[in-house]
Amino acid sequence: MKRIVSIQDISCLGKCSLTVALPIVSAMGIECAILPTAVLSTHTMFQNFTCKDLTDQIGPIARHWKQEGIAFDAIYTGYLASADQVADVCRFFDAFKTPDNLIFVDPAMADNGKLYPAFGPEFPAEMAKVCAKADVIVPNLTEASLLTGLPYRTEYDEGYLRELIAALAELGPRHVALTGVSLEPGKLGVMAYDRATGETFTYFNDEIPVRYHGTGDVFASTCVGGLMNGLNLGQALALAADYTVECIRLTKHTPNSNWYGVEFERAIPMLLRSLHPEGA
Ligand code: PXL
């Protein structure tokens, strides 16, 4: 059985980060070890959230795992607690990277043109160091602009997306998948680029005009699960996009649900049917 480790926070309530990654990756038949970066009462869109930074646990946990001879098929990072934590996460990569495993980085730090409230202006440059070590990164447009210093635009053309992707690839990752992008009204999807082959991949669904917290984490977790099940990156991105859309479709009639995340649990049967169309 394949095993990954997911390095991100536990928001105790509000369906995002580890409370999304654990069930989705597990449902896809992959063991999901966790390295919590912080424990928060809720995600940071709620007022007055509590936060215990766990930076001082990363080194000791990594050392114990090394002593036990533990290895991972993928290391999947998301929301990090602080800029100080970046060096520890990079050291974790150096300790557990092998020629065969995958470093998957969701630089979860911003959306809708703004950094998340817990981060200061120095944070994107630190997150760029994490992205530099990745095989795959999955930023949204806001994160892409903060990582590269290019302007954030809500109206754009394909040239702008290609410029962002080229600048992100310059940071160092082999694959860049820009999420939440649109090239025609009513469609929303992903544009990916493979620096080694120069190939571009796009995948779009009909846009559902509602926004939920935590859908980036649903998308990233599904993509990692797909890759660990042997899908290529294009297939994994398409599966992740379809599942995320299905979660939104199932949630959109629930009143006041935006902050509480999508009802991803209800769409797990659809995810598994898509992952195993032959019924295995
Ligand atoms: O879904 C991204 C995320 C993860 N973890 C925490 C967050 C956010 C987004 O705001 O606040 C704590």
Side-chain angles (χ1 to χ4, degrees):
M1 187 173 184
K2 292 213 168 163
R3 174 199 286 141
I4 73 154
V5 57
S6 186
I7 307 180
Q8 48 185 329
D9 70 284
I10 296 187
S11 288
C12 299
L13 180 137
K15 290 200 269 189
C16 64
S17 40
L18 284 177
T19 61
V20 163
L22 261 171
I24 291 176
V25 172
S26 301
M28 296 175 85
I30 308 296
E31 178 184 347
C32 186
I34 61 170
L35 186 38
T37 55
V39 181
L40 294 89
S41 52
T42 63
H43 60 68
T44 60
M45 296 298 141
F46 284 84
Q47 296 283 312
N48 306 321
F49 60 87
T50 69
C51 180
K52 170 75 176 167
D53 186 319
L54 297 175
T55 303
D56 66 359
Q57 294 302 301
I58 296 177
I61 290 173
R63 279 193 288 283
H64 180 214
W65 286 347
K66 270 281 150 198
Q67 282 159 10
E68 297 291 326
I70 306 288
F72 300 105
D73 295 295
I75 305 167
Y76 156 35
T77 73
Y79 186 99
L80 304 182
S82 56
D84 289 346
Q85 200 166 74
V86 163
D88 298 81
V89 171
C90 289
R91 268 196 293 276
F92 187 93
F93 288 165
D94 294 342
F96 287 92
K97 176 71 188 158
T98 69
D100 301 322
N101 70 4
L102 179 85
I103 298 184
F104 187 103
V105 172
D106 178 3
M109 62 175 175
D111 207 358
N112 301 312
K114 285 203 296 277
L115 262 182
Y116 292 149
F119 300 130
E122 77 295 345
F123 191 75
E126 292 302 307
M127 186 58 95
K129 297 178 188 167
V130 182
C131 293
K133 289 181 171 282
D135 297 300
V136 182
I137 63 170
V138 290
N140 62 32
L141 283 174
T142 306
E143 289 155 354
S145 118
L146 289 165
L147 286 166
T148 59
L150 291 168
Y152 172 70
R153 296 192 205 288
T154 49
E155 311 253 308
Y156 52 80
D157 58 11
E158 188 174 333
Y160 171 68
L161 299 182
R162 287 188 179 276
E163 196 186 349
L164 278 178
I165 285 176
L168 289 163
E170 282 289 301
L171 296 177
R174 166 155 178 191
H175 298 274
V176 173
L178 206 46
T179 64
V181 304
S182 179
L183 287 174
E184 56 176 306
K187 297 276 180 189
L188 195 68
V190 52
M191 185 172 193
Y193 172 74
D194 179 341
R195 188 162 51 87
T197 64
E199 282 169 37
T200 304
F201 168 85
T202 54
Y203 186 79
F204 296 97
N205 275 298
D206 289 339
E207 178 173 5
I208 306 179
V210 280
R211 293 289 173 267
Y212 287 96
H213 205 274
T215 46
D217 302 333
V218 170
F219 180 90
S221 302
T222 311
C223 190
V224 173
L227 291 169
M228 291 295 104
N229 272 277
L231 301 186
N232 66 35
L233 182 60
Q235 293 167 327
L237 290 167
L239 177 69
D242 290 348
Y243 177 57
T244 307
V245 167
E246 180 64 5
C247 294
I248 294 171
R249 198 183 64 74
L250 288 170
T251 313
K252 69 177 186 197
H253 299 299
T254 306
N256 305 319
S257 53
N258 306 52
W259 281 12
Y260 292 90
V262 284
E263 296 172 22
F264 71 88
E265 301 89 337
R266 296 173 60 205
I268 283 178
M270 167 267 166
L271 172 62
L272 298 188
R273 276 195 302 276
S274 306
L275 184 62
H276 304 296
E278 71 291 356

Tab-separated table of all heavy atoms in Angstrom, residues 38-58:
chain	number	residue	atom	x	y	z
A	38	ALA	N	0.130	23.196	12.663
A	38	ALA	CA	-0.494	24.021	13.705
A	38	ALA	C	-1.847	23.404	14.021
A	38	ALA	O	-2.393	22.662	13.210
A	38	ALA	CB	-0.690	25.454	13.213
A	39	VAL	N	-2.363	23.704	15.206
A	39	VAL	CA	-3.750	23.347	15.536
A	39	VAL	C	-4.525	24.645	15.710
A	39	VAL	O	-4.140	25.488	16.538
A	39	VAL	CB	-3.847	22.529	16.843
A	39	VAL	CG1	-5.302	22.162	17.123
A	39	VAL	CG2	-3.004	21.270	16.769
A	40	LEU	N	-5.578	24.799	14.920
A	40	LEU	CA	-6.415	26.002	15.011
A	40	LEU	C	-7.838	25.584	15.383
A	40	LEU	O	-8.279	24.488	15.035
A	40	LEU	CB	-6.481	26.731	13.665
A	40	LEU	CG	-5.195	27.352	13.136
A	40	LEU	CD1	-4.413	26.358	12.285
A	40	LEU	CD2	-5.502	28.588	12.295
A	41	SER	N	-8.547	26.469	16.059
A	41	SER	CA	-9.946	26.155	16.398
A	41	SER	C	-10.799	26.066	15.149
A	41	SER	O	-11.700	25.220	15.051
A	41	SER	CB	-10.505	27.237	17.338
A	41	SER	OG	-10.280	28.518	16.785
A	42	THR	N	-10.522	26.948	14.198
A	42	THR	CA	-11.218	26.977	12.903
A	42	THR	C	-10.195	27.468	11.883
A	42	THR	O	-9.111	27.915	12.263
A	42	THR	CB	-12.365	28.018	12.884
A	42	THR	OG1	-11.780	29.315	13.078
A	42	THR	CG2	-13.402	27.742	13.964
A	43	HIS	N	-10.560	27.471	10.602
A	43	HIS	CA	-9.691	28.157	9.644
A	43	HIS	C	-9.750	29.667	9.895
A	43	HIS	O	-10.564	30.150	10.696
A	43	HIS	CB	-10.024	27.762	8.204
A	43	HIS	CG	-11.411	28.075	7.768
A	43	HIS	ND1	-11.858	29.354	7.604
A	43	HIS	CD2	-12.458	27.272	7.470
A	43	HIS	CE1	-13.106	29.331	7.212
A	43	HIS	NE2	-13.507	28.071	7.124
A	44	THR	N	-8.894	30.391	9.205
A	44	THR	CA	-8.633	31.774	9.620
A	44	THR	C	-9.601	32.801	9.023
A	44	THR	O	-9.383	34.007	9.170
A	44	THR	CB	-7.183	32.165	9.292
A	44	THR	OG1	-6.985	32.035	7.868
A	44	THR	CG2	-6.194	31.270	10.010
A	45	MET	N	-10.658	32.317	8.367
A	45	MET	CA	-11.692	33.260	7.918
A	45	MET	C	-12.675	33.576	9.046
A	45	MET	O	-13.399	34.552	8.990
A	45	MET	CB	-12.453	32.699	6.719
A	45	MET	CG	-11.587	32.509	5.501
A	45	MET	SD	-10.919	34.082	4.922
A	45	MET	CE	-9.283	33.577	4.443
A	46	PHE	N	-12.714	32.707	10.075
A	46	PHE	CA	-13.524	33.010	11.254
A	46	PHE	C	-12.797	34.065	12.082
A	46	PHE	O	-11.560	34.126	12.084
A	46	PHE	CB	-13.691	31.759	12.129
A	46	PHE	CG	-14.673	30.748	11.597
A	46	PHE	CD1	-14.277	29.813	10.646
A	46	PHE	CD2	-15.978	30.713	12.059
A	46	PHE	CE1	-15.174	28.868	10.162
A	46	PHE	CE2	-16.878	29.767	11.581
A	46	PHE	CZ	-16.475	28.842	10.623
A	47	GLN	N	-13.545	34.870	12.811
A	47	GLN	CA	-12.942	35.825	13.746
A	47	GLN	C	-12.467	35.065	14.983
A	47	GLN	O	-13.065	34.054	15.349
A	47	GLN	CB	-13.991	36.833	14.220
A	47	GLN	CG	-14.543	37.717	13.124
A	47	GLN	CD	-13.567	38.810	12.754
A	47	GLN	OE1	-13.042	39.481	13.629
A	47	GLN	NE2	-13.313	38.977	11.466
A	48	ASN	N	-11.426	35.562	15.642
A	48	ASN	CA	-11.011	35.066	16.966
A	48	ASN	C	-10.592	33.605	17.000
A	48	ASN	O	-10.735	32.940	18.032
A	48	ASN	CB	-12.125	35.273	18.014
A	48	ASN	CG	-12.590	36.705	18.073
A	48	ASN	OD1	-11.764	37.619	17.961
A	48	ASN	ND2	-13.880	36.914	18.207
A	49	PHE	N	-10.084	33.083	15.873
A	49	PHE	CA	-9.607	31.697	15.873
A	49	PHE	C	-8.399	31.562	16.804
A	49	PHE	O	-7.618	32.495	16.968
A	49	PHE	CB	-9.236	31.247	14.452
A	49	PHE	CG	-8.152	32.070	13.809
A	49	PHE	CD1	-6.808	31.767	13.996
A	49	PHE	CD2	-8.470	33.171	13.017
A	49	PHE	CE1	-5.807	32.532	13.415
A	49	PHE	CE2	-7.473	33.944	12.425
A	49	PHE	CZ	-6.141	33.623	12.633
A	50	THR	N	-8.254	30.381	17.409
A	50	THR	CA	-7.053	30.113	18.205
A	50	THR	C	-6.028	29.420	17.305
A	50	THR	O	-6.393	28.806	16.293
A	50	THR	CB	-7.363	29.177	19.388
A	50	THR	OG1	-7.652	27.874	18.867
A	50	THR	CG2	-8.536	29.684	20.209
A	51	CYS	N	-4.750	29.513	17.635
A	51	CYS	CA	-3.719	28.857	16.822
A	51	CYS	C	-2.520	28.482	17.684
A	51	CYS	O	-1.938	29.339	18.351
A	51	CYS	CB	-3.253	29.779	15.695
A	51	CYS	SG	-1.971	29.025	14.667
A	52	LYS	N	-2.197	27.204	17.689
A	52	LYS	CA	-0.971	26.745	18.353
A	52	LYS	C	0.002	26.305	17.251
A	52	LYS	O	-0.243	25.321	16.545
A	52	LYS	CB	-1.321	25.559	19.279
A	52	LYS	CG	-0.134	24.838	19.850
A	52	LYS	CD	0.521	25.640	20.951
A	52	LYS	CE	1.662	24.842	21.574
A	52	LYS	NZ	2.501	25.717	22.413
A	53	ASP	N	1.072	27.046	17.105
A	53	ASP	CA	2.086	26.754	16.089
A	53	ASP	C	2.898	25.530	16.533
A	53	ASP	O	3.354	25.477	17.678
A	53	ASP	CB	2.978	28.003	15.966
A	53	ASP	CG	3.994	27.898	14.847
A	53	ASP	OD1	4.588	26.826	14.673
A	53	ASP	OD2	4.205	28.914	14.159
A	54	LEU	N	3.047	24.544	15.655
A	54	LEU	CA	3.746	23.300	16.024
A	54	LEU	C	5.125	23.177	15.366
A	54	LEU	O	5.641	22.066	15.201
A	54	LEU	CB	2.873	22.095	15.662
A	54	LEU	CG	1.531	22.008	16.419
A	54	LEU	CD1	0.695	20.849	15.891
A	54	LEU	CD2	1.771	21.854	17.918
A	55	THR	N	5.710	24.311	14.999
A	55	THR	CA	7.016	24.291	14.334
A	55	THR	C	8.027	23.447	15.114
A	55	THR	O	8.803	22.696	14.514
A	55	THR	CB	7.554	25.732	14.188
A	55	THR	OG1	6.600	26.501	13.470
A	55	THR	CG2	8.881	25.762	13.444
A	56	ASP	N	7.986	23.559	16.447
A	56	ASP	CA	9.018	22.867	17.232
A	56	ASP	C	8.843	21.341	17.244
A	56	ASP	O	9.692	20.627	17.786
A	56	ASP	CB	9.094	23.421	18.659
A	56	ASP	CG	7.833	23.143	19.464
A	56	ASP	OD1	6.893	22.537	18.921
A	56	ASP	OD2	7.793	23.544	20.641
A	57	GLN	N	7.764	20.844	16.651
A	57	GLN	CA	7.555	19.388	16.593
A	57	GLN	C	8.076	18.767	15.292
A	57	GLN	O	8.244	17.547	15.204
A	57	GLN	CB	6.052	19.076	16.711
A	57	GLN	CG	5.490	19.439	18.066
A	57	GLN	CD	6.222	18.705	19.176
A	57	GLN	OE1	6.258	17.480	19.205
A	57	GLN	NE2	6.850	19.448	20.071
A	58	ILE	N	8.299	19.589	14.262
A	58	ILE	CA	8.632	19.025	12.946
A	58	ILE	C	9.956	18.268	13.000
A	58	ILE	O	10.040	17.110	12.556
A	58	ILE	CB	8.656	20.134	11.858
A	58	ILE	CG1	7.248	20.729	11.704
A	58	ILE	CG2	9.146	19.566	10.528
A	58	ILE	CD1	7.158	21.880	10.716
